[in-house]
Amino acid sequence: MRELTRTEAIDLVGRYEAEQEIPERMRADVRMLGALLGRVLRESGSPGLYEDVERLRTATIQAYTDETPEAFARAAAIADSFTVARAEEVARAFTAYFHLVNLAEEHQRVRVLRERDGRPDREHATDSVAAAFVRLAAEVGDDTALARLQRMRFHPVFTAHPTEARRRAVSSSIRRLATLLEEHDASLRNGADERRAERRMLEEIDTLWRTAPLRPEKPSPVDEVRAVMAVFDETLFSAVPHVYRRVDDALQGPAAGGRAPIVRPFVRVGSWVGGDRDGNPFVTASVTRKAAKIASEHVLLGLENAASRIGRTLTLDATTTPPSAELMALWHRLRAADEDAANEIAKRSPDEPHRRILLLIARKIAATRERNADLAYGDPEHLLADLRTVQDSLVAAGASRQAYGHLQQLLWQVESYGFHLTELEVRQHSAVHAKVLAELDAGGPRSELTEEVLEVFRTIGFLQERYGPRAAGRYIVSFTRSADDLAAVHRLARYAVGPDGTPPVLDVIPLFETFADLQAAPRILAEIALHPEFAARLEATGRRLEVMLGYSDSSKDVGPVAANLALYEAQAAISAWARENRIELTLFHGRGGALGRGGGPANSAILAQPPHSVDGRFKLTEQGEVIFARYGDPAIAMRHIDQVAAAILLASAPSNEERNRAAAERYAPVAATMDAASRERFFSLVKAPGFAPWFARVTPMEEIGLLALGSRPARRGLSVESLEDLRAIPWVFAWTQARINLAGWFGLGTALEAVGDEVLLQTAYTEWPLFRTLIDNVAMSLAKADDRIARHYLELGDREDLAALVREEMALTRSWVIRVTGGTELLGNKPVLQRAVKMRSPYVDALSLLQLRALRALREAPEGAPVDPEQQRLLLLSVSGVAAGLQNTG
């Protein structure tokens, strides 16, 4: 098949882009950024690079639109024709293009959100907290709805799982480009010199092109802590109180800001970064201390700056706004502690008592950050008391707008973040605890591992003393399989402090991960609730308990369909046990970013939970690229929090709980059929002799471990002879890279075929939220897969039996998903999502073809031959690019 002429190529690309129906302003952004990247490539000093990129781009678009073997073969031939050095440059060019397309998409989302915020009907958005409150109040009454709103809790927990394929340097460049794109928009609106904005973007895109896309070495745990802190500094510190403000504005109307808010802070941020040591030997007690110190420095600096900024604006004269007696008493206490500064501030603000005090409060926050014991606050409660004294004085003087304006937002920030910022959680494997306890009980010399495990408990105690009890104390036990696994934590804590010491306050959280453990969860919980220390802690917290559910290992254990059904049943059973025992349960969802690890839209997943399993509280892990996608931009972060909080509020509405209960009951036979059929099909693949090494051969699983993605090792041992040794993240990541996405769908086609009744399944899709969420997530997973490219990966394994099994199940699943959703193609009922996937697919194909040639060269090398470093580097570059294109890793 001949190559297209330049005119034909331009016409093909133009028609393809037009078919995607991209919003006009986003299309303009993509074209402008793409043109600037093209200019950078032409100026790169590599002759013919731009032309080679365009050849491959045109060929993959033609192959994607024509769907003929000849067109695909021509695209593959072009990818294979490049020298390794040129293939690297082309891979980097496509990766840079994806970063720019992702930026344009995010910019369009922000643009739409801001336009929506400017409309008078903004608060009536159907998936906002304000709208959810109105719907809930219609069912349970205003008072009950308000009580539920004020008790609501959303608790995202940031983790350092190695799923962010971008370097921080690349992310920083993209954030600078986002600012420049904003400025470009402003130049178009204001008639300013847009050429200046474009020149600056060209400079930044050139920087992006020249920045090495791969990290030279793995980040340390402390590096990972600092990466998460960037999200806090740039978005979360200000975004969270703005969400509270928006909700309060919507619910109180014109009175908002002039009287006390009815919204209470409902966001708490947790972190495993620097605390999760399960399988990560680099996370030590020393690292945990450093992580807490860094987080505290960031939040205290943010609070100090906010207090100082607000203080400078409170230029309210004592005549118009007289101070209360309590405020004057506070002034005298603050002046006595910081006399010189107080006198200097009094000179600058002689008749502005509220301003003087807030500026002194800012100094006390700074002293807290600097560990100045003479001036520092002992805990956040004392700071809150001082701020409320200022607020009460303003209200008494008639200055309600000042009392409930920026000062209220500062109060919300202190209530949300304290002096610790993130509630640092520790996680360790139950097997480690058992090994250490056996050694301690034997009474011999203590190993390095034992000393390290005990030091963790001493560190938790230190953090609680220094930063407050909320700073640390949650202790997650991975692979909890018995009540003894949980009791072991309390025994270790007592060993750590000795017979005369006081153990730290611990909330021990079981993590149920495998299919068997999920089924055993209620029995294990019933046993541990009788344990003296566990029972005492339950009573001390008002019978509050957290239970964590693992989505990753359960999916790898029995397949995505059976795992989803098992997780639902486990939640229902645990919730029923908690209600019977008067326990206020919070289920902690260990969800990944990828669909094979429980990913997908959080709000729809929340609304599909079993009755009484949410009850106004939702906690989940936010991992890797998901952190930056959901919280990297202030507007998107606020929208995400608003949507999730709305779902949390509505999940416990009587109508929603009844819908989920009735659907689970009605479709229980369907669920049972799907569970058995999908598990049998999944086991026929993963339990086949030689499956694990075959999987390692047909995907870049081994090579993914070479990427400097995170501090945590990719697998538990050196062998890939068994899936048990492989962590869930590379399991999902590798299938994603091979454009198969098997971890997200395998077994569903067989499950639906076993049910067989198309009308029944279409009805279930309408009536059964859990089923609808599963089908929608699989549709997305399959839409990002590509059976033509998948076929070439599967051919690397010399196991036609296993390859045929995957291909057949893929085709069967695609066919059934399309029929169940009532369309003619995947995502036909979600056109916006479908366009986003189609817009990227041919460009991802280009990178996949480059990856395939590198993987094939590595796999076909003679046994014992040294690894070709050039092919290996090309492979790793393509992995990074495909991750950017699919916006998924693990």
Side-chain angles (χ1 to χ4, degrees), residues 700 703-704 707 737 793 850-852 854-856 858-859 870-880:
E703 289 75 14
I704 285 169
L707 278 171
Q737 285 289 317
Y793 278 94
L850 294 171
Q851 184 179 115
L852 260 170
L855 190 62
R856 190 179 295 114
L858 293 169
R859 296 292 183 265
E870 290 187 339
Q871 296 287 2
Q872 189 175 76
R873 177 174 168 79
L874 172 59
L875 181 77
L876 297 181
L877 284 168
S878 68
V879 166
S880 177

Side-chain angles (χ1 to χ4, degrees), residues 563-700:
N564 269 276
L565 296 171
L567 283 159
Y568 185 92
E569 291 301 321
Q571 291 175 71
I574 293 169
S575 301
W577 170 82
R579 283 172 63 82
E580 290 170 7
N581 291 274
R582 299 178 296 104
I583 287 173
E584 185 180 295
L585 174 71
T586 298
L587 287 173
F588 181 8
H589 301 263
R591 293 159 54 93
L595 300 175
R597 299 184 56 240
N603 50 330
S604 59
I606 293 168
L607 292 171
Q609 301 304 303
H612 308 297
S613 65
V614 177
D615 277 347
R617 299 172 298 279
F618 190 72
K619 184 177 180 182
L620 81 165
T621 51
E622 300 279 34
Q623 304 179 358
E625 77 273 356
V626 171
I627 294 174
F628 296 94
R630 290 177 176 168
Y631 302 97
D633 179 272
I636 292 173
M638 287 188 282
R639 175 63 173 151
H640 172 66
I641 294 169
D642 194 24
Q643 283 183 310
V644 172
I648 295 170
L649 202 56
L650 279 179
S652 302
S655 60
N656 191 73
E657 292 200 330
E658 174 57 26
R659 181 186 64 166
N660 290 349
R661 185 204 61 76
E665 185 176 303
R666 176 180 178 186
Y667 294 105
V670 173
T673 301
M674 290 176 61
D675 173 59
S678 67
R679 256 193 295 164
E680 183 180 354
R681 183 69 159 175
F682 186 74
F683 290 158
S684 71
L685 177 69
V686 302
K687 293 183 182 294
F691 170 77
W694 175 79
F695 161 63
R697 184 172 178 82
V698 301
T699 70

Side-chain angles (χ1 to χ4, degrees), residues 801-824:
D801 57 331
L802 298 181
L805 192 60
V806 172
R807 292 196 305 268
E808 290 164 10
E809 186 65 22
M810 193 178 197
L812 185 63
T813 304
R814 178 180 284 109
S815 170
W816 268 108
V817 168
I818 291 171
R819 280 186 279 167
V820 167
T821 55
T824 57

Side-chain angles (χ1 to χ4, degrees), residues 268-340:
R268 295 292 184 272
V269 180
S271 177
W272 283 10
V273 189
D276 179 11
R277 59 243 312 127
D278 177 13
N280 191 342
F282 306 110
V283 177
T284 63
S286 173
V287 165
T288 300
R289 285 196 186 211
K290 289 177 184 176
K293 184 174 185 290
I294 291 168
S296 180
E297 287 174 350
H298 277 259
V299 73
L300 287 169
L301 185 59
L303 295 173
E304 174 193 342
N305 291 337
S308 181
R309 184 180 64 252
I310 296 166
R312 289 194 300 270
T313 66
L314 278 181
T315 54
L316 311 180
D317 188 80
T319 304
T320 62
T321 315
S324 66
E326 292 79 9
L327 189 82
M328 292 311 298
L330 175 59
W331 163 252
H332 292 307
R333 289 199 304 273
L334 294 177
R335 185 173 62 178
D338 197 7
E339 189 171 358
D340 291 344

